[in-house]
């Protein structure tokens, strides 16, 4: 039976196993596959970006046939084009929309009301950064519009008002009263007053000048039975305010996000954990006053936690994680930029935990005290990891990367930016020769001086050439490397994102051979200055799912490499080439001809590309193209003068 004769349901089920990019390609097979692919995208609530341009009008009509459920609108303002786009979305997409994001838009109240009232099935509304909408304080002030909004927003469960500077008690109450089913509220970075009682005991919380904690507390008390998630990041919430909030009767929060609440204390966290023990998501990143005491309370009381973010806590040490083994349901942990962390307690906890830990995401970026032995232990104990971030863990070496390649075979995201000790030998899964290690150690130590100046470090034997070493080029599966349980990086066949930024010791010898991942979508090789066109063409041929490619300051790349590689990068959407000084307009031409899905291109500081070249490239793009081009300091501008 041919695939085109299969029932739609079967094709939809088969396509559901593919990455989104592959489903897009599959949708081009025929009409049946097209509609099957659209069904799978709808099931995952994929957001469709709609910029406020005239080119979007036709796209909106096409999207209406797919019954799109989630839309993100950008660049909205008071212009005629924006009004036309809003009317088109309201007419064609409004009846089916469940999620609407207007982040940072400058639309008028009239346009917002028109759009909102056309979306009766909304369950999520994002108005973050929409300051112009709240500036006048008259949003939903007309009784007719208010009553219509009450009918429209009756099913709304998520409301994001982050970063709205002009939000007041009056406008908040109007909007919130239209949302009886609200379960998730974000007021991050809003100017909430916690200490001053501006109402002097009055129960009429309708100030048009400020947003008060007293009014927020009143709202939470009224909605305690339905509220499940709060985001108060970037506010000055105090211990007393936290105590009043979490002790509200019948309040049972599942998610609490308090990023960068710099006044938050250990006492406040203890109160939170005591009264909201059923939290599954807790984010305290950037709360710089917290110490080990807060972490110990979290790990002992919040036993249902699935996602814990404790990044940027400079006072936290390994001692705070002595009870991390109590969190049996933990799926993701972020301790990035905790500069005193060695992760020894994490190793001990996950190593002694009964059964396989459920952790799938671990972020230890910028934990500079982390060493190879601990990374190896983590890799051996956390074989279910899908995401691992070791960025700027500057002490890890080839031993760590080989342990990762040997044990973490389910990894989808691996970030190793600024891990400068990684070399070709590590990526290839081969043991570095003793002579090479000694030479590297001598180089790092600087020149040696003796009494007769016989060895000043100026005359050193050339480094071993991997290209000519037949023992390295032989199939690694037959070598001693595998017998010693070492593996090359390409053992991670499921990788979708790889970051090797500033791993300056890497060369073509490993990059061209190892970076071969059929599902890889994001790759960064910025500041890996030793790679040449050889690596570029190999990557293009072996990673044809690439959508984001960052090669800034790879100064050995030339036009020839891009002319050969561009033909294999059909899915490329974002390309960063800033500081690649050998590139000329020939590279722009190759990219323009082959990379038809390109959305952004950065050629800043490319000395051989001029503004005239950039303008010519833009003129050759299709009229409907939305490609954004960054071209700062092109043509060899003198930065010292320009800045």
């Amino acid at each position: 039976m041919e695939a085109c004769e299969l029932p739609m349901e079967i094709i939809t089920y088969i396509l559901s196993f593919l990455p989104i990019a592959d489903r897009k390609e599959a949708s081009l097979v025929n009409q049946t596959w097209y509609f099957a692919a659209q069904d799978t995208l709808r099931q995952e609530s994929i957001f469709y970006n709609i910029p406020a341009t005239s080119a979007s009008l036709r796209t909106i009509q096409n999207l209406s046939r797919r019954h799109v459920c989630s839309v993100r609108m950008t660049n909205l303002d008071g212009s005629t084009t924006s009004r036309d786009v809003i009317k088109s979305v309201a007419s064609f997409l409004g009846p089916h929309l469940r999620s609407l994001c207007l982040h940072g838009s400058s639309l008028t109240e009239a346009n917002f009301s028109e759009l909102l009232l056309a979306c009766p099935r909304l369950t999520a509304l994002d108005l973050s950064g929409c300051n112009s909408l709240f500036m006048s304080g008259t949003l939903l002030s007309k009784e007719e519009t208010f009553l219509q909004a009450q009918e429209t927003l009756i099913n709304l469960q998520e409301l994001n008002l982050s970063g709205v500077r002009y939000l007041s008690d009056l406008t908040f109450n109007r909007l919130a009263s239209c949302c009886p089913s609200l379960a998730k509220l974000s007021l991050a970075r809003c100017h909430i007053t916690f200490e001053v009682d501006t109402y002097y005991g009055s129960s009429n919380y309708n100030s048009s000048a400020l947003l008060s904690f007293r009014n927020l507390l009143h709202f939470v008390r009224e909605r305690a039975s339905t509220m499940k998630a709060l985001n108060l990041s970037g506010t000055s919430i105090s211990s007393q305010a936290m105590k009043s909030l979490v002790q509200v009767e019948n309040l049972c929060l599942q998610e609490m996000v308090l990023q960068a609440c710099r006044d938050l204390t250990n006492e406040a966290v203890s109160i939170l954990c005591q009264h909201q023990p059923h939290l599954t998501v807790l984010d305290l990143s950037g709360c710089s006053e917290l110490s080990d005491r807060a972490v110990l309370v979290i790990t002992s009381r919040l036993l249902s936690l699935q996602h814990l973010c404790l990044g940027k806590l400079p006072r936290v040490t390994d001692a705070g994680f002595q009870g991390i083994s109590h969190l049996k349901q933990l799926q993701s942990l972020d301790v990035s930029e905790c500069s005193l962390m060695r992760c020894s307690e994490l190793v001990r906890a996950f190593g002694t935990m009964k059964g396989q830990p459920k952790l799938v995401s671990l972020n230890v970026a910028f934990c500079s005290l982390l060493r190879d032995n601990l990374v190896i232990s983590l890799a051996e104990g956390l074989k279910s990891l899908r995401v691992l971030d070791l960025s700027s863990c500057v002490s890890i070496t080839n031993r760590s990367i080989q342990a990762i390649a040997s044990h973490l075979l389910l990894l989808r995201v691996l970030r190793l930016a600024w891990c400068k000790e990684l070399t070709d030998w590590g990526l290839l899964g081969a043991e570095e020769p003793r002579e090479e290690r000694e030479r590297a150690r001598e180089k790092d130590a600087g020149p040696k001086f003796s009494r007769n100046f016989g060895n000043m470090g100026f005359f050193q034997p050339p480094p071993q050439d991997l290209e000519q070493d037949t023992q390295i080029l032989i199939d690694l599966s037959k070598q001693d490397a595998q017998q010693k349980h070492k593996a090359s990086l390409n053992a991670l066949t499921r990788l979708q994102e790889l970051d090797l930024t500033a791993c300056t010791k890497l060369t073509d010898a490993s990059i061209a051979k190892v970076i071969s991942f059929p599902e890889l979508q994001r790759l960064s090789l910025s500041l890996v200055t030793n790679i040449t066109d050889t690596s570029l063409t190999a990557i293009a041929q072996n990673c044809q799912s690439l959508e984001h490619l960052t090669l800034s300051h790879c100064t050995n790349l030339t036009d020839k490499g891009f002319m050969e590689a561009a033909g294999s990068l059909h899915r490329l959407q974002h390309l960063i080439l800033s500081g690649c000084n050998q590139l000329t307009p020939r590279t722009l031409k190759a990219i323009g001809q082959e990379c038809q899905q390109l959305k952004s291109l950065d050629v800043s500081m490319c000395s051989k590309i001029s503004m005239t070249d950039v303008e010519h490239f833009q003129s050759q793009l299709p009229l409907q193209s939305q490609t954004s081009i960054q071209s700062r300091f092109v043509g060899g501008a003198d930065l010292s003068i320009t800045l």
Side-chain angles (χ1 to χ4, degrees), residues 14 104 301 579:
I14 294 172
R301 293 186 175 177

Side-chain angles (χ1 to χ4, degrees), residues 372-393:
D372 282 332
N373 59 330
L374 296 174
V375 175
I376 293 170
S377 298
L378 285 172
E380 292 173 348
L382 296 173
K383 295 184 179 181
S384 59
L385 274 185
R386 265 70 168 178
V387 178
L388 178 60
D389 193 337
L390 294 169
S391 301
S392 292
C393 294

Side-chain angles (χ1 to χ4, degrees), residues 311-443:
K312 300 181 181 179
L313 302 185
R315 301 185 181 189
V316 169
T317 69
D318 289 282
F321 289 86
Q322 293 177 7
I324 193 72
S325 60
H326 297 152
L327 306 182
K328 308 293 186 183
Q329 307 302 317
L330 195 63
Q331 297 178 23
S332 68
L333 176 63
D334 182 353
V335 292
S336 59
E337 298 187 55
C338 294
S339 55
L340 300 180
M341 283 282 295
R342 296 180 59 251
C343 299
S344 56
E345 284 298 327
L346 299 184
V347 171
R348 185 191 63 79
F350 294 127
T352 58
M353 188 177 292
K354 293 183 179 180
Q356 182 66 30
K358 295 185 177 181
L359 199 71
V360 295
S361 177
L362 178 61
N363 187 347
V364 290
F366 295 91
C367 293
S368 56
L369 298 180
L370 188 63
R371 297 294 187 268
D372 282 332
N373 59 330
L374 296 174
V375 175
I376 293 170
S377 298
L378 285 172
E380 292 173 348
L382 296 173
K383 295 184 179 181
S384 59
L385 274 185
R386 265 70 168 178
V387 178
L388 178 60
D389 193 337
L390 294 169
S391 301
S392 292
C393 294
V394 293
S395 297
I396 67 172
T397 68
N398 294 336
R399 294 176 59 208
S400 291
I401 191 64
Q402 290 171 351
I404 290 169
S406 298
H407 300 289
L408 302 182
L409 301 182
L410 300 179
L411 268 187
R412 295 184 179 275
V413 177
L414 178 59
R415 302 188 181 107
L416 298 167
W418 295 93
C419 296
K420 292 190 172 185
E421 296 303 312
L422 299 183
T423 69
D424 293 328
W425 302 98
L427 268 62
L428 289 166
E431 186 171 356
E432 188 173 8
R434 181 185 303 175
E435 297 82 1
E436 197 76 8
R437 289 198 301 270
E438 292 177 353
R439 190 177 301 120
R441 194 178 298 115
E442 290 177 2
K443 183 177 179 181

Side-chain angles (χ1 to χ4, degrees), residues 293-323:
R293 178 185 163 194
V295 182
L296 287 170
V297 173
I298 292 169
T299 56
S300 63
R301 293 186 175 177
L302 301 183
L303 303 184
S304 299
L305 267 184
Q306 297 177 15
H307 306 280
L308 177 60
C309 297
L310 298 173
K312 300 181 181 179
L313 302 185
R315 301 185 181 189
V316 169
T317 69
D318 289 282
F321 289 86
Q322 293 177 7

Side-chain angles (χ1 to χ4, degrees), residues 18-28 517-522 540 543-549 565-575 594-599:
L18 296 177
I20 293 175
D22 289 339
R23 281 181 246 171
K24 291 179 180 178
E25 296 292 325
S27 67
L28 303 176
F517 307 106
E519 297 183 27
L520 194 68
Q521 298 174 14
R522 291 173 173 264
C543 306
Q544 297 195 14
S545 295
L546 272 179
E547 296 179 3
H548 297 250
L549 180 58
S568 300
L569 297 173
H570 296 298
R571 295 187 184 181
L572 196 63
Q573 298 180 19
H574 305 276
L575 179 59
E594 301 292 347
C595 304
Q596 298 297 314
Q597 298 188 37
L598 198 66
K599 295 180 180 178

Side-chain angles (χ1 to χ4, degrees), residues 453-464:
F453 301 97
N455 178 13
M456 296 183 64
F458 300 131
F459 302 98
Q460 297 181 356
Q464 184 171 345

